[in-house]
Amino acid sequence: QVALEESGGGSVQPGGSLSLSCRSSLFTESIWCMGWYRQVPGKEREGVASVDQDGYSSFSDSVKGRFKISLDRAKNTVMLQMNRLASEDDAVYYCAAERRCAVYTEYDYVLHFTYKGQGTRVTVSA
């Protein structure tokens, strides 16, 4: 079992920035992937971003150029920096993780990761 500890999120005006963090014990393993997906009530889940143990990252077209993902190995944490937030980014964001994922795992596969966090709310509103 892999525990995921999420933090961050909150409320921001359009154009603002927020960050999400996800701490995981997977950093002690040799091969893993982590990422985020989001969900708006009444809509399908959407993969947002992913990263692997080597730092290879992948983003959905809807966030590419605005969101960045980084690793803090000292804290066993993956961070998602969200910039130029818009109303369409308003959702619950879930951290997810997978052991022994394939090389160059893409963002949309986050939806199929085995381990998932409890979710954190991101509100974008004027």
Side-chain angles (χ1 to χ4, degrees):
Q1 187 68 21
V2 174
L4 301 176
E5 182 180 333
E6 297 183 59
S7 61
S11 298
V12 68
Q13 293 184 342
S17 298
L18 286 173
S19 63
L20 303 177
S21 295
C22 185
R23 184 176 178 182
S24 167
S25 59
L26 277 180
F27 275 70
T28 61
E29 302 187 16
S30 59
I31 301 175
W32 52 262
C33 291
M34 290 179 65
W36 277 267
Y37 66 93
R38 63 190 182 187
Q39 187 161 29
V40 175
K43 295 188 177 180
E44 292 189 0
R45 297 177 304 164
E46 176 190 9
V48 175
S50 64
V51 66
D52 70 10
Q53 74 286 343
D54 293 327
Y56 171 79
S57 60
S58 174
F59 299 88
S60 68
D61 287 344
S62 62
V63 307
K64 195 174 295 182
R66 300 188 296 122
F67 289 15
K68 297 180 181 179
I69 198 165
S70 60
L71 308 178
D72 185 338
R73 299 183 190 278
K75 297 181 180 179
N76 292 349
T77 298
V78 175
M79 293 162 289
L80 183 69
Q81 177 65 38
M82 304 180 292
N83 300 318
R84 302 201 313 271
L85 285 161
S87 57
E88 51 265 37
D89 299 314
D90 191 309
V92 177
Y93 285 71
Y94 296 86
C95 176
E98 185 66 76
R99 283 190 165 108
R100 297 183 292 277
C101 50
V103 176
Y104 303 133
T105 293
E106 295 295 320
Y107 71 92
D108 51 344
Y109 198 72
V110 173
L111 298 175
H112 305 290
F113 285 2
T114 302
Y115 306 103
K116 297 176 174 64
Q118 78 280 5
T120 185
R121 187 77 171 85
V122 171
T123 302
V124 184
S125 174

